[in-house]
Amino acid sequence: MRSASLALRGFVVVLCPLLAAVGCREEKAAEPLQSLKPEPLPSLSTGASQAPEDGGPTVPRDAPGSVPVYGEALPSNALRLSLAGEQVRLGSEAFEPARPESLARLAERVKGREVLLVPDADTFLAQVSELLAMLRDSAKAVWLAHPDAPVAYPLVLRDEDGFRAWLAEVAPGKLRIIQRADGFELSTSVGKLPGPDANGPSVPVREGRQDLAMLRHGLRLLEGRFKQSEDICLVPSFGTEVSQAARALGAVYTAPGEPLFDTLCLVFPTPPHVRDAG
């Protein structure tokens, strides 16, 4: 019996070093689920003024309309399409995109060309759905001119189905500016950027005007949080004037030719005949 006990002790003495040699160590405990939650979104300040975290200029809080306008230089070789309600003008010619034969003639003129859309004050997004759908399919590139400055914005055009497909892509951020009558909602794949009112838009209107200075500040915060995101979509309510959408796009730029995101997407309403067919 004594010899069996001694043999067992010897076996243990030999076995332990062998186990240590092949990785006999304590397993690390799994990280708690709380640590896997995404980093929380930054919050917009509601104070009298706000200095951006990246050291940029202070956001003015006393004049919502006094914000510098930035964008790209106007494309020199683009066809200029002037919006006027239900009509579109190309030079001296007038087209009515709601009429299929007129839209087809315009499509032939813009096919494979760069196009610059020049908005008036009173054309709404819902009035240009047929035009934008045609330009998405026919034009080489589409730009939207700013109504108050000689700059423009290159656009990727998406209808409602295209927007939903973009949202379904597996990519970080999925940043979008929801342009509402009461302000801008800045939405992401992990929720909206918090504003002064949890139940209201991220950037509410002030003094009856869209707060473009605070919108630019909010976009800078999102750019810092989602460093891998390269695109952003502007989603205006379909009763928004095209000129107001152009003004909102200006907030994506922090200097001439320097956008926070490489690709700007404009979401437009699905044309009525396409919706009816579906």
mmCIF file of all heavy atoms in Angstrom, residues 46-64:
data_model
loop_
_atom_site.group_PDB
_atom_site.id
_atom_site.type_symbol
_atom_site.label_atom_id
_atom_site.label_comp_id
_atom_site.label_asym_id
_atom_site.label_seq_id
_atom_site.Cartn_x
_atom_site.Cartn_y
_atom_site.Cartn_z
ATOM 1 N N THR A 46 -26.488 73.369 -24.656
ATOM 2 C CA THR A 46 -27.564 74.351 -24.796
ATOM 3 C C THR A 46 -27.178 75.692 -24.171
ATOM 4 O O THR A 46 -28.018 76.533 -23.912
ATOM 5 C CB THR A 46 -28.851 73.849 -24.116
ATOM 6 O OG1 THR A 46 -28.576 73.590 -22.732
ATOM 7 C CG2 THR A 46 -29.342 72.581 -24.771
ATOM 8 N N GLY A 47 -25.895 75.858 -23.908
ATOM 9 C CA GLY A 47 -25.454 77.096 -23.273
ATOM 10 C C GLY A 47 -25.457 78.273 -24.228
ATOM 11 O O GLY A 47 -25.850 78.190 -25.378
ATOM 12 N N ALA A 48 -24.948 79.417 -23.739
ATOM 13 C CA ALA A 48 -24.951 80.630 -24.557
ATOM 14 C C ALA A 48 -24.016 80.513 -25.728
ATOM 15 O O ALA A 48 -24.203 81.112 -26.769
ATOM 16 C CB ALA A 48 -24.558 81.827 -23.698
ATOM 17 N N SER A 49 -22.957 79.753 -25.574
ATOM 18 C CA SER A 49 -22.039 79.491 -26.684
ATOM 19 C C SER A 49 -21.381 78.163 -26.416
ATOM 20 O O SER A 49 -21.376 77.663 -25.298
ATOM 21 C CB SER A 49 -20.982 80.599 -26.802
ATOM 22 O OG SER A 49 -20.152 80.602 -25.668
ATOM 23 N N GLN A 50 -20.793 77.592 -27.456
ATOM 24 C CA GLN A 50 -20.214 76.261 -27.309
ATOM 25 C C GLN A 50 -18.966 76.170 -28.161
ATOM 26 O O GLN A 50 -19.007 76.400 -29.365
ATOM 27 C CB GLN A 50 -21.206 75.188 -27.748
ATOM 28 C CG GLN A 50 -20.647 73.781 -27.784
ATOM 29 C CD GLN A 50 -20.326 73.261 -26.408
ATOM 30 O OE1 GLN A 50 -20.925 73.686 -25.438
ATOM 31 N NE2 GLN A 50 -19.363 72.367 -26.309
ATOM 32 N N ALA A 51 -17.841 75.837 -27.547
ATOM 33 C CA ALA A 51 -16.605 75.630 -28.284
ATOM 34 C C ALA A 51 -16.499 74.163 -28.638
ATOM 35 O O ALA A 51 -16.568 73.298 -27.763
ATOM 36 C CB ALA A 51 -15.402 76.049 -27.441
ATOM 37 N N PRO A 52 -16.349 73.795 -29.915
ATOM 38 C CA PRO A 52 -16.239 72.391 -30.298
ATOM 39 C C PRO A 52 -15.063 71.706 -29.627
ATOM 40 O O PRO A 52 -14.038 72.334 -29.341
ATOM 41 C CB PRO A 52 -16.053 72.461 -31.825
ATOM 42 C CG PRO A 52 -16.656 73.773 -32.217
ATOM 43 C CD PRO A 52 -16.374 74.692 -31.068
ATOM 44 N N GLU A 53 -15.194 70.403 -29.389
ATOM 45 C CA GLU A 53 -14.158 69.656 -28.700
ATOM 46 C C GLU A 53 -12.862 69.590 -29.482
ATOM 47 O O GLU A 53 -11.794 69.382 -28.920
ATOM 48 C CB GLU A 53 -14.668 68.230 -28.415
ATOM 49 C CG GLU A 53 -15.847 68.197 -27.466
ATOM 50 C CD GLU A 53 -16.385 66.792 -27.276
ATOM 51 O OE1 GLU A 53 -15.832 65.876 -27.918
ATOM 52 O OE2 GLU A 53 -17.336 66.614 -26.499
ATOM 53 N N ASP A 54 -12.925 69.754 -30.804
ATOM 54 C CA ASP A 54 -11.698 69.653 -31.610
ATOM 55 C C ASP A 54 -10.956 70.977 -31.701
ATOM 56 O O ASP A 54 -10.021 71.117 -32.474
ATOM 57 C CB ASP A 54 -12.025 69.140 -33.018
ATOM 58 C CG ASP A 54 -12.979 70.074 -33.755
ATOM 59 O OD1 ASP A 54 -13.324 71.127 -33.199
ATOM 60 O OD2 ASP A 54 -13.360 69.736 -34.892
ATOM 61 N N GLY A 55 -11.366 71.972 -30.916
ATOM 62 C CA GLY A 55 -10.676 73.242 -30.945
ATOM 63 C C GLY A 55 -11.119 74.177 -32.039
ATOM 64 O O GLY A 55 -10.488 75.205 -32.259
ATOM 65 N N GLY A 56 -12.198 73.854 -32.741
ATOM 66 C CA GLY A 56 -12.698 74.713 -33.810
ATOM 67 C C GLY A 56 -13.312 75.973 -33.259
ATOM 68 O O GLY A 56 -13.313 76.235 -32.055
ATOM 69 N N PRO A 57 -13.881 76.809 -34.136
ATOM 70 C CA PRO A 57 -14.445 78.076 -33.697
ATOM 71 C C PRO A 57 -15.670 77.878 -32.818
ATOM 72 O O PRO A 57 -16.395 76.900 -32.923
ATOM 73 C CB PRO A 57 -14.826 78.758 -35.022
ATOM 74 C CG PRO A 57 -14.998 77.634 -35.981
ATOM 75 C CD PRO A 57 -14.005 76.596 -35.565
ATOM 76 N N THR A 58 -15.882 78.840 -31.926
ATOM 77 C CA THR A 58 -17.037 78.800 -31.055
ATOM 78 C C THR A 58 -18.309 78.914 -31.874
ATOM 79 O O THR A 58 -18.385 79.676 -32.833
ATOM 80 C CB THR A 58 -16.957 79.960 -30.043
ATOM 81 O OG1 THR A 58 -15.800 79.785 -29.237
ATOM 82 C CG2 THR A 58 -18.192 79.996 -29.159
ATOM 83 N N VAL A 59 -19.315 78.136 -31.483
ATOM 84 C CA VAL A 59 -20.598 78.173 -32.170
ATOM 85 C C VAL A 59 -21.391 79.376 -31.669
ATOM 86 O O VAL A 59 -21.666 79.476 -30.475
ATOM 87 C CB VAL A 59 -21.401 76.885 -31.911
ATOM 88 C CG1 VAL A 59 -22.767 76.962 -32.575
ATOM 89 C CG2 VAL A 59 -20.635 75.683 -32.412
ATOM 90 N N PRO A 60 -21.760 80.328 -32.541
ATOM 91 C CA PRO A 60 -22.523 81.493 -32.078
ATOM 92 C C PRO A 60 -23.922 81.094 -31.660
ATOM 93 O O PRO A 60 -24.558 80.293 -32.305
ATOM 94 C CB PRO A 60 -22.547 82.407 -33.310
ATOM 95 C CG PRO A 60 -22.397 81.480 -34.473
ATOM 96 C CD PRO A 60 -21.534 80.353 -33.988
ATOM 97 N N ARG A 61 -24.396 81.670 -30.563
ATOM 98 C CA ARG A 61 -25.727 81.349 -30.085
ATOM 99 C C ARG A 61 -26.641 82.572 -30.114
ATOM 100 O O ARG A 61 -27.729 82.547 -29.574
ATOM 101 C CB ARG A 61 -25.670 80.806 -28.654
ATOM 102 C CG ARG A 61 -24.829 79.574 -28.508
ATOM 103 C CD ARG A 61 -25.298 78.427 -29.381
ATOM 104 N NE ARG A 61 -26.610 77.971 -28.991
ATOM 105 C CZ ARG A 61 -27.521 77.521 -29.842
ATOM 106 N NH1 ARG A 61 -27.271 77.511 -31.129
ATOM 107 N NH2 ARG A 61 -28.684 77.101 -29.422
ATOM 108 N N ASP A 62 -26.195 83.658 -30.710
ATOM 109 C CA ASP A 62 -27.019 84.857 -30.705
ATOM 110 C C ASP A 62 -27.542 85.237 -32.085
ATOM 111 O O ASP A 62 -28.271 86.201 -32.212
ATOM 112 C CB ASP A 62 -26.226 86.038 -30.120
ATOM 113 C CG ASP A 62 -24.934 86.278 -30.881
ATOM 114 O OD1 ASP A 62 -24.574 85.403 -31.700
ATOM 115 O OD2 ASP A 62 -24.290 87.313 -30.668
ATOM 116 N N ALA A 63 -27.141 84.509 -33.124
ATOM 117 C CA ALA A 63 -27.572 84.849 -34.475
ATOM 118 C C ALA A 63 -27.659 83.579 -35.306
ATOM 119 O O ALA A 63 -26.694 83.200 -35.971
ATOM 120 C CB ALA A 63 -26.593 85.838 -35.125
ATOM 121 N N PRO A 64 -28.812 82.883 -35.279
ATOM 122 C CA PRO A 64 -28.914 81.591 -35.957
ATOM 123 C C PRO A 64 -28.687 81.654 -37.450
ATOM 124 O O PRO A 64 -28.298 80.669 -38.063
ATOM 125 C CB PRO A 64 -30.343 81.138 -35.631
ATOM 126 C CG PRO A 64 -31.069 82.373 -35.268
ATOM 127 C CD PRO A 64 -30.064 83.265 -34.617
#
